[in-house]
Amino acid sequence: MANPQIENGYTRVANEILNQIMKTNLNGTQFRLVIAIWRYTYGFKRKEYEMSSSYLAKLLDTKSRSQVDRELTSLIDKGVLTVKGIGEKGARVLSFNKNYKDWNEKDPSKETVPEIKPNKKPTTKN
C-alpha cells in the first residue's frame, strides 16, 4: 500500500499557477511535461534545470523521445516553458514561465501560413 507523506518531500506550486494551468489547453504529454519540469525545478527549490528529451521521456515512462521533443518544443513556443541555454551535459536548461500572461494559447508551430503564389503573367505569342 502506498503511503505518501509531505514529510518525505513535496513540490510547492502557487495556487494561482495551478488555477491557470487547469484552464490552459494542453494535451496529455504537454501536461505531464509541465509536471515533470515542476518536479525537478520547484521540487528541488530551484528555478531551472538541465533536462534532455531522452531524460524527460524516461521520466514520463515513454519510449517516444520524438513525441516528447515535439511537445516540449510546443510548450516552449507557447511560452509555458523557457530555455535558459545549453547546460554542461549539452541538454537544454529549462524553466517554467510563471508569468502566464505571456503564454500563447495558440501553438505557433501548428498555425498555417497562407501560401502566397506569385502572379503569373499570361504569355502571348506573336
Side-chain angles (χ1 to χ4, degrees), residues 107-115:
D107 188 350
S109 66
K110 293 185 180 177
E111 287 183 12
T112 57
V113 178
E115 185 179 335

Side-chain angles (χ1 to χ4, degrees), residues 35 48-49 103:
I35 297 294
E48 57 193 41
Y49 188 60
W103 300 353

Side-chain angles (χ1 to χ4, degrees), residues 11-50:
T11 302
R12 290 180 60 186
V13 179
N15 288 334
E16 187 175 354
I17 292 294
L18 291 173
N19 290 338
Q20 193 61 38
I21 206 74
M22 286 186 286
K23 297 174 187 175
T24 304
N25 188 18
L26 301 177
N27 67 31
T29 303
Q30 291 170 343
F31 186 73
R32 292 167 59 202
L33 282 167
V34 168
I35 297 294
I37 302 297
W38 284 347
R39 173 71 180 99
Y40 284 87
T41 55
Y42 297 157
F44 288 89
K45 296 179 181 166
R46 53 188 170 205
K47 293 184 179 183
E48 57 193 41
Y49 188 60
E50 180 180 358

Side-chain angles (χ1 to χ4, degrees), residues 41-74:
T41 55
Y42 297 157
F44 288 89
K45 296 179 181 166
R46 53 188 170 205
K47 293 184 179 183
E48 57 193 41
Y49 188 60
E50 180 180 358
M51 289 179 263
S52 66
S53 296
S54 56
Y55 178 72
L56 287 165
K58 184 189 285 188
L59 290 176
L60 272 56
D61 198 24
T62 181
K63 295 183 188 214
S64 180
R65 191 191 69 77
S66 61
Q67 179 186 11
V68 167
D69 193 47
R70 182 177 57 248
E71 300 303 343
L72 185 61
T73 300
S74 177

Side-chain angles (χ1 to χ4, degrees), residues 69-87:
D69 193 47
R70 182 177 57 248
E71 300 303 343
L72 185 61
T73 300
S74 177
L75 286 168
I76 293 165
D77 289 345
K78 287 180 180 184
V80 176
L81 301 179
T82 58
V83 178
K84 298 291 185 172
I86 302 297

